Amino acid sequence: MTIIRPPAIAGTFYPAAPDMLRSEIDGLIHAAVESQTENDTPIPKAIIVPHAGLMFSGAIAGLGFATIRALKGTVKRIVIIGPAHRMAFQGIAIAKADGFATPLGDVRCDLAGLQAALAWPQVQVLDEAHRLEHGLEIELPFIQRLFGEDADIGIVPLLVSRCAARQVHEVIEALWGGPETLIVISSDLSHFHDYDTAKRIDDNTRAMIERFDAESITSGDACGALPVAGMLMSARKRSMRIRTLGMCNSGDITGDKSRVVGYGAWAVYAGTEKMRSSDNENGSFVGATDRLLADHGATMIDLARQSIWHGITHGGPLRIDPASISPELLQPGACFVTLKKSGQLRGCIGSVMAHRDLATDLCENAFKAGFGDPRFPALRQDELNDDLELSISVLSPPRDFPFENEADLIAKLTPHEDGIILSDGNHRGLFLPQVWEQLPDPADFVAQLKRKAGLSTDHWSDRMRAQRFVTRGISGKDIAPRDFWQQSPPMP
């Protein structure tokens, strides 16, 4: 017997009448295509699109779906992943269904894909979670109109509830496939803030997505934070590219800006030859460092933690035993170690250039961040608790970043990605890419970087030079979110 999951939101989130639904979806996609100016953009492997009613987020969703229209005839499987809104459960849920229905007809489920997902312990069959869920269903009419209402395309609908982003990532990896597989992440952004607050939160979420910062996105940033983060981990692993297609919130549509919901669309695709040369130069660094952090990130965090404990108990940094350290961490490397107390900076020290092995560099810099940053007093033992966050940023080799004048420098910057070293004679200042979170405007970024270099914000000269670098990082909260500092300190 064939089991079809019936529509749950026809007539509310979208029109129940087939002709009206076709007209509305076609209009949204047409408007999105008309607004796109770059015809040579690569075809995405994945998109992030919102899942509110069409009147609220349909235009933004259309921007995402419009980028995949060229996949007609190529795509055979679409993995749709979104957050569970109607009930909480442990892990990821699939429905016991052969297909999902909309007023435009049935979309078959890819049974092989569902079986591949079920092979993972975090995935279960849970019909009740899907019965009234809107976050996956709202994407189906776009798929039907783009690829054909009778197209032989199977979907793998996955609802995410209580689990880790890494567990979502594992399932995405199992279903990644080749050009026949498209991944659709269904997620709105912030919920029920006033208009200006929502704009700030959503802009920060955009920045985290653009720099593939899967570890920092929370449910307060996006209701589909776990699906988004899981996809970003897969894309980051492959050194992919991401593009923000559009953003708005419900206040832009209704005019009521007192309590709004945010929406955004992104496309994720492989790098192209048109990337900046600096991107190509750093590509191998990104891939290699992502692998390093995946394989040895826990060890690196623990070395930094031990070095700070060593500073408390012995007044100096931890001295590593090369025989007990992985060869990868004994290669030359440069890093910054950052400490934050209750979300506020508590110390940050690092190396710009690799001048010693990475393990030694992070132990030295961890100690200095805790006890040698002149902006802060030395750490006390009673501060080593869950409010103190430790993170490590590994730096790529800095490369010259040529420009003609200040306006040209500002125009060439890529917010939330570029780390910059700015110098003029003996004056030099460095900002990590994380500084964009506080200074998202490129002109402000440059002005404050000049101030850090000991120059006035309006200073300029022909001797000004810049170098660019990128970073990859890991935080202690990724390794042990609780009782991180309560682990035994190192022995003498």
Side-chain angles (χ1 to χ4, degrees):
M1 182 180 71
T2 300
I3 302 173
I4 301 296
R5 185 266 195 189
I9 55 172
T12 54
F13 280 61
Y14 60 79
D19 288 343
M20 289 182 61
L21 180 55
R22 290 186 184 100
S23 177
E24 187 160 352
I25 294 292
D26 291 352
L28 292 170
I29 294 175
H30 177 75
V33 171
E34 289 293 306
S35 70
Q36 292 176 355
T37 57
E38 298 185 41
N39 297 322
D40 58 348
T41 301
I43 300 171
K45 172 66 177 182
I47 57 174
I48 303 173
V49 287
H51 54 227
L54 293 185
M55 72 166 288
F56 293 102
S57 67
I60 297 296
L63 293 174
F65 281 105
T67 65
I68 61 172
R69 61 193 187 278
L71 289 172
K72 185 174 182 179
T74 300
V75 165
K76 300 300 180 184
R77 180 175 69 181
I78 301 178
V79 181
I80 313 175
I81 313 175
H85 294 86
R86 299 297 181 174
M87 67 177 294
F89 52 88
Q90 201 65 35
I92 301 169
I94 67 172
K96 188 178 181 180
D98 298 296
F100 277 49
T102 79
L104 304 182
D106 298 343
V107 183
R108 71 172 178 87
C109 289
D110 184 90
L111 298 182
L114 292 175
Q115 288 298 322
L118 273 174
W120 290 88
Q122 61 265 42
V123 181
Q124 60 176 306
V125 178
L126 192 59
D127 276 339
E128 186 62 21
H130 283 267
R131 189 171 67 86
L132 297 175
E133 178 59 50
H134 66 274
L136 308 183
E137 181 182 331
I138 191 66
E139 318 300 0
L140 298 182
F142 285 98
I143 291 169
Q144 289 172 299
R145 292 306 296 161
L146 275 173
F147 299 118
E149 295 172 24
D150 58 352
D152 185 23
I153 291 177
I155 60 171
V156 183
L158 303 172
L159 284 180
V160 177
S161 187
R162 296 170 179 157
C163 68
R166 180 66 58 180
Q167 292 176 301
V168 182
H169 166 65
E170 289 171 344
V171 176
I172 291 175
E173 287 293 290
L175 298 171
W176 188 264
E180 82 291 340
T181 299
L182 171 71
I183 297 169
V184 175
I185 302 297
S186 176
S187 178
D188 292 341
L189 300 178
S190 65
H191 280 53
F192 310 138
H193 300 284
D194 65 80
Y195 185 86
D196 290 337
T197 300
K199 291 275 285 185
R200 288 195 298 272
I201 294 172
D202 294 346
D203 190 59
N204 184 56
T205 303
R206 172 199 56 76
M208 289 188 287
I209 291 173
E210 288 180 349
R211 66 174 182 267
F212 297 90
D213 188 1
E215 290 74 18
S216 296
I217 296 174
T218 70
S219 59
D221 304 311
C223 65
L226 292 174
V228 169
M231 186 277 299
L232 290 178
M233 290 176 181
S234 290
R236 187 174 64 194
K237 171 183 174 181
R238 293 168 171 82
S239 300
M240 299 180 78
R241 305 287 292 169
I242 196 161
R243 172 170 292 169
T244 301
L245 305 171
M247 296 176 66
C248 76
N249 65 48
S250 58
D252 297 310
I253 290 91
T254 66
D256 180 359
K257 299 186 177 182
S258 62
R259 198 165 180 260
V260 306
V261 177
Y263 315 115
W266 288 265
V268 183
Y269 49 88
T272 72
E273 294 179 358
K274 293 192 173 185
M275 285 191 288
R276 296 183 311 187
S277 60
S278 55
D279 290 331
N280 292 325
E281 290 165 354
N282 286 313
S284 59
F285 164 83
V286 170
T289 306
D290 281 343
R291 289 190 294 273
L292 178 77
L293 294 176
D295 294 340
H296 304 289
T299 300
M300 293 167 64
I301 287 290
D302 193 56
L303 284 172
R305 180 190 67 84
Q306 289 191 51
S307 194
I308 288 175
W309 263 115
H310 204 273
I312 292 284
T313 56
H314 298 88
L318 180 73
R319 301 301 178 189
I320 66 166
D321 175 10
S324 66
I325 299 296
S326 169
E328 288 86 349
L329 298 181
L330 295 177
Q331 299 301 309
C335 73
F336 270 69
V337 176
T338 301
L339 296 171
K340 288 186 177 181
K341 186 72 173 175
S342 301
Q344 302 299 311
L345 185 66
R346 183 60 179 83
C348 182
I349 296 291
S351 304
V352 177
M353 299 289 293
H355 61 285
R356 54 193 170 195
D357 65 84
L358 182 58
T360 298
D361 197 60
L362 71 87
C363 286
E364 292 282 345
N365 291 334
F367 171 77
K368 291 177 182 177
F371 308 97
D373 190 327
R375 298 169 293 180
F376 303 97
L379 272 177
R380 305 183 310 274
Q381 183 170 340
D382 61 8
E383 293 184 89
L384 303 188
N385 54 46
D386 288 343
D387 287 336
L388 184 67
E389 179 185 344
L390 181 152
S391 61
I392 300 169
S393 297
V394 182
L395 278 64
S396 71
R399 301 187 183 279
D400 288 338
F401 193 56
F403 53 85
E404 294 181 3
N405 49 44
E406 184 172 14
D408 187 43
L409 170 61
I410 292 170
K412 287 181 175 178
L413 289 173
T414 301
H416 306 283
E417 178 181 336
D418 290 344
I420 296 293
I421 305 167
L422 192 66
S423 60
D424 186 354
N426 293 325
H427 296 272
R428 187 166 90 159
L430 177 149
F431 274 166
L432 294 171
Q434 293 92 313
V435 175
W436 288 105
E437 296 176 13
Q438 287 75 46
L439 299 171
D441 179 77
D444 291 341
F445 185 92
V446 170
Q448 295 307 314
L449 183 52
K450 286 191 286 185
R451 174 175 287 180
K452 186 174 183 182
L455 303 167
S456 64
T457 57
D458 61 354
H459 173 84
W460 196 257
S461 79
D462 293 338
R463 298 175 301 170
M464 198 76 78
R465 297 290 180 269
Q467 291 179 300
R468 175 185 183 264
F469 61 91
V470 296
T471 67
R472 283 297 183 267
I474 191 168
S475 170
K477 67 181 181 181
D478 302 325
I479 306 303
R482 296 188 60 82
D483 299 328
F484 173 74
W485 294 102
Q486 277 60 56
Q487 300 173 48
S488 299
M491 298 297 292

